[in-house]
Amino acid sequence: MPNPPQHLPQFVHDLFNSLGRPLYALSFAFIIAGPLTGRSKFLKFVLGSDGYSSWAKITFMVYLIHGLIFPLYEAQARQSNVATFISFFMIIVAC
């Protein structure tokens, strides 16, 4: 672990190192506990809205497509026939 910056006292670093991860885990647990138990009306409203549903579909589509676009771009950048064939084959298999 790197040495902490010298402008903060050592006890501040010790406090952060001892409580940082448990507090993060506890706060994350509180965030997901509501939806898991069915008691979070606000998160149900936000995540169940039409706007979020559309946004989720678009981001998932981009997630699926980027795996096809990046190999094609790399193949064109390298001018490689083998990489172009493999990328073309990936597109055919994906469709």
Side-chain angles (χ1 to χ4, degrees), residues 32-64:
I32 63 171
L36 289 178
T37 59
R39 296 182 180 171
S40 175
K41 306 265 189 254
F42 177 72
L43 281 177
K44 278 187 180 181
F45 173 74
V46 170
L47 297 178
S49 67
D50 291 335
Y52 185 79
S53 176
S54 301
W55 179 251
K57 289 176 185 176
I58 290 171
T59 56
F60 185 67
M61 180 181 63
V62 170
Y63 165 73
L64 292 177

Side-chain angles (χ1 to χ4, degrees), residues 1 8 12 20 25 31 38 45 54 60 67 69-70 72 74 76 85 87 90-91:
M1 180 174 221
L8 293 174
V12 173
I31 290 171
F45 173 74
S54 301
F60 185 67
I69 300 297
F70 286 158
L72 282 176
E74 185 177 348
Q76 287 179 349
F85 174 74
S87 300
M90 285 175 47
I91 290 175

